[in-house]
Amino acid sequence: MSKIDIIQEVQQNFIDSSFDVNCHRAFPNVKDGLKDGQRCILWEMYTKKYTSNKPHVKSAKIDGGVAALWWPHGTTAIYETFARMSQPFTNNVPEIDFHGANGNIILGGDAIAADRYTEARLSSLTEDYMLKGVEKNTVPMTLNFSEDEYMPKVLPSVFPRLLVNGAQGIGVSVANTWLPHSLSETCNLVINYLKTNELNTLEYYPDFPTGGTIINKDELSIINKTGKGKVILQANYKIENKEIIFYEMPYQVYIEPVIEKIKEQIEKEELVGIKEVFNKSDKKNIALVIECKNGYKPEKVVEQLFQQTPLRSQYNANQNGIISKTPVLLNLQQTIDVYVKHNLECIKKEHQYDLDEANARIEILNGLSKALIHIDEIILIIKESENSQDAKEKLSSTFGFTENQTKAILEMRLSKLTKLDGVSINKELDEKKKLAEFCNQVVNSQEEQ
């Protein structure tokens, strides 16, 4: 009987488990901004054609498909993941188009209806700017856990997801928090960086989907320079007579839990001057209303609320992301450099794929154009040949057709072969030559990319 060193075995198991958690669960890939589970969800919806131009699909069907093929986790965790990807109060640009209750800013992000009641599909942004080109050999593919289907290791995402929608996760001995930013500001930042090779780190701030006001903007450039730092965000409000009306909440702060917190603080007498707390929100507007007692200034009550409740919250940025299977702390320039390099590679590979396809078609069209001149002789050779191999050899030796050209001619029905149209062939040939020229320029010019 063989002996096992239990300490060595436990150590190795811990290392293997830590690697799996950090590499495949807790941290986003810097290239496309996605964790593996999120990528698996998008891939399931893409391959099953749950797209924006088709009806929504039952959520239970989606999370079941992901668990069966791509991501060996419970369907509840998978469902909650793509429901969060659809929340407009969690993401600046949701990647999933959702039908049904997917949480709200009143009760919280976890107030999601069961998957048997809701429906989902890809958003058009995800299709056009995260998945487009994935079938043109733009990214490496890998086998799924059952080794019977291929899936992308990373998406060819031109959408800068990591900066726009952010990410959060806790790994083994290290965590990550990427704060969200405005899509338009992020795009303008990248465009200006590409044009000037200079990155403006001083005026690029987090931008949260729920609004609020950042009160420590002078400290934010440290996040862009180092990848770490803090953001202090407080709710926006207005005062009408004795009422304080909060109409924008801090990120991931929800109204009903805040009301409970306020009432607890009132009972503890740590909050004074408050007569009543109301939630007057509707489907269009947020309205957390604080009615002040007589003799208390609303401004003083507001300051108490900011000190004692999550109406003023702090967010600690910790920009760790996966590069070459390892969590790495990145500043803004490093993040954008990885994103840009990835996109240039994807653009080059996509146009190389299109160039190869165009050249292959040009070869066939040149063969058909030549065949049109000798159509009667070709038909006679085909009819008199003993088999396809005999016909292929005769066509090749007689007219100098390439192997691909002879194959294309022989695969055509005689009725179609006799109706070859020189005008349409030449028209398509001109189109393919222009496409090939354009693709060749892109492949060989980083400026074009």
Side-chain angles (χ1 to χ4, degrees):
M1 182 182 290
S2 62
K3 294 182 179 180
I4 298 175
D5 185 330
I6 190 67
I7 294 177
Q8 184 179 352
E9 188 73 13
V10 170
Q11 285 176 341
Q12 187 58 49
N13 287 345
F14 178 73
I15 290 171
D16 293 342
S17 174
S18 300
F19 176 81
D20 183 65
V21 168
N22 286 351
C23 239
H24 301 299
R25 302 185 196 179
F27 293 89
N29 191 303
V30 182
K31 292 180 178 179
D32 64 1
L34 293 166
K35 299 178 185 179
D36 281 14
Q38 296 169 323
R39 193 178 303 109
C40 287
I41 290 165
L42 298 183
W43 186 243
E44 164 70 6
M45 298 176 78
Y46 179 72
T47 54
K48 296 294 173 57
K49 302 191 185 304
Y50 304 152
T51 51
S52 61
N53 60 346
K54 295 182 179 178
H56 291 75
V57 176
K58 189 68 72 176
S59 295
K61 188 175 182 180
I62 298 170
D63 59 46
V66 175
L69 279 176
W70 313 112
W71 193 240
H73 287 256
T75 54
T76 300
I78 293 169
Y79 173 54
E80 289 175 352
T81 297
F82 75 77
R84 282 196 296 272
M85 293 169 74
S86 75
Q87 293 170 342
F89 53 88
T90 300
N91 308 280
N92 278 323
V93 184
E95 294 112 4
I96 303 292
D97 183 4
F98 206 85
H99 264 182
N102 62 342
N104 54 67
I105 201 169
I106 308 298
L107 298 173
D110 296 327
I112 304 169
D115 60 359
R116 62 185 178 275
Y117 298 125
T118 64
E119 298 174 325
R121 63 184 180 185
L122 291 173
S123 72
S124 57
L125 173 133
T126 302
E127 294 170 43
D128 294 339
Y129 300 106
M130 297 186 76
L131 287 155
K132 188 177 180 182
V134 71
E135 293 176 337
K136 294 184 176 182
N137 300 331
T138 52
V139 291
M141 305 293 283
T142 184
L143 284 167
N144 63 349
F145 60 87
S146 54
E147 298 188 349
D148 54 4
E149 296 283 350
Y150 279 92
M151 60 177 289
K153 289 185 177 181
V154 64
L155 296 185
S157 178
V158 74
F159 169 51
R161 183 193 189 277
L162 192 53
L163 291 173
V164 174
N165 283 341
Q168 293 179 343
I170 299 175
V172 178
S173 78
V174 64
N176 75 92
T177 301
W178 295 78
L179 300 177
H181 295 78
S182 160
L183 173 60
S184 59
E185 289 178 8
T186 302
C187 290
N188 289 333
L189 181 80
V190 173
I191 290 168
N192 187 65
Y193 179 52
L194 291 173
K195 287 180 177 179
T196 66
N197 203 32
E198 294 181 2
L199 192 64
N200 186 353
T201 61
L202 298 177
E203 297 179 3
Y204 183 65
Y205 309 129
D207 191 334
F208 298 92
T210 51
T213 298
I214 297 173
I215 62 172
N216 66 325
K217 284 190 174 181
D218 293 343
E219 301 174 25
L220 298 188
S221 62
I222 192 70
I223 299 175
N224 296 331
K225 293 176 181 177
T226 67
K228 300 188 76 169
K230 67 179 181 180
V231 174
I232 301 174
L233 184 72
Q234 67 184 29
N236 284 341
Y237 67 94
K238 58 185 177 181
I239 295 174
E240 295 180 356
N241 298 320
K242 287 292 182 179
E243 288 187 343
I244 307 161
I245 304 171
F246 292 94
Y247 58 89
E248 284 185 355
M249 303 295 286
Y251 188 51
Q252 296 179 335
V253 172
Y254 308 109
I255 289 180
E256 288 298 334
V258 168
I259 290 176
E260 291 180 14
K261 180 69 174 178
I262 291 172
K263 289 179 178 179
E264 287 177 10
Q265 297 297 84
I266 291 172
E267 288 182 6
K268 294 178 182 178
E269 296 184 352
E270 293 183 6
L271 275 176
V272 296
I274 297 176
K275 181 179 181 182
E276 193 57 82
V277 184
F278 303 100
N279 176 15
K280 293 187 178 181
S281 306
D282 54 32
K283 290 183 177 181
K284 294 183 178 180
N285 299 298
I286 297 299
L288 170 58
V289 180
I290 311 293
E291 185 179 350
C292 300
K293 292 179 179 178
N294 290 330
Y296 287 89
K297 293 183 178 180
E299 291 82 1
K300 296 291 185 181
V301 174
V302 167
E303 193 53 42
Q304 288 184 73
L305 288 166
F306 283 151
Q307 292 176 0
Q308 300 294 331
T309 73
L311 289 170
R312 178 185 288 160
S313 293
Q314 178 173 314
Y315 306 86
N316 297 313
N318 189 21
Q319 296 178 174
N320 285 295
I322 295 296
I323 295 180
S324 300
K325 300 183 179 180
T326 305
V328 177
L329 181 67
L330 299 106
N331 62 24
L332 180 61
Q333 181 164 349
Q334 291 168 324
T335 303
I336 293 177
D337 283 343
V338 172
Y339 158 82
V340 168
K341 182 181 178 181
H342 171 62
N343 271 279
L344 291 178
E345 289 173 353
C346 290
I347 290 168
K348 184 175 180 178
K349 289 177 180 177
E350 181 178 353
H351 286 80
Q352 182 64 59
Y353 180 93
D354 288 340
L355 177 60
D356 293 340
E357 291 281 301
N359 284 334
R361 184 57 181 165
I362 288 170
E363 180 185 357
I364 300 301
L365 291 169
N366 283 329
L368 294 178
S369 182
K370 186 192 292 186
L372 193 60
I373 301 171
H374 307 284
I375 190 67
D376 293 333
E377 296 172 71
I378 289 172
I379 292 173
L380 184 62
I381 289 174
I382 293 173
K383 285 181 177 180
E384 293 180 348
S385 297
E386 295 179 5
N387 50 47
S388 61
Q389 183 60 34
D390 183 36
K392 185 185 291 186
E393 291 173 358
K394 289 178 179 178
L395 288 174
S396 180
S397 61
T398 304
F399 302 105
F401 289 129
T402 67
E403 184 177 348
N404 290 331
Q405 290 171 340
T406 54
K407 183 180 178 182
I409 291 168
L410 291 173
E411 286 179 349
M412 294 179 71
R413 292 183 178 181
L414 283 175
S415 58
K416 190 174 181 180
L417 194 59
T418 57
K419 293 180 181 178
L420 285 176
D421 179 5
V423 174
S424 60
I425 290 174
N426 289 331
K427 182 180 178 182
E428 185 182 354
L429 190 58
D430 288 340
E431 291 172 353
K432 294 299 180 185
K433 285 180 177 178
K434 289 178 181 177
L435 175 60
E437 183 181 357
F438 168 72
C439 291
N440 191 56
Q441 289 177 349
V442 173
V443 168
N444 293 291
S445 170
Q446 192 172 93
E447 185 177 351
E448 289 292 331
Q449 294 160 21

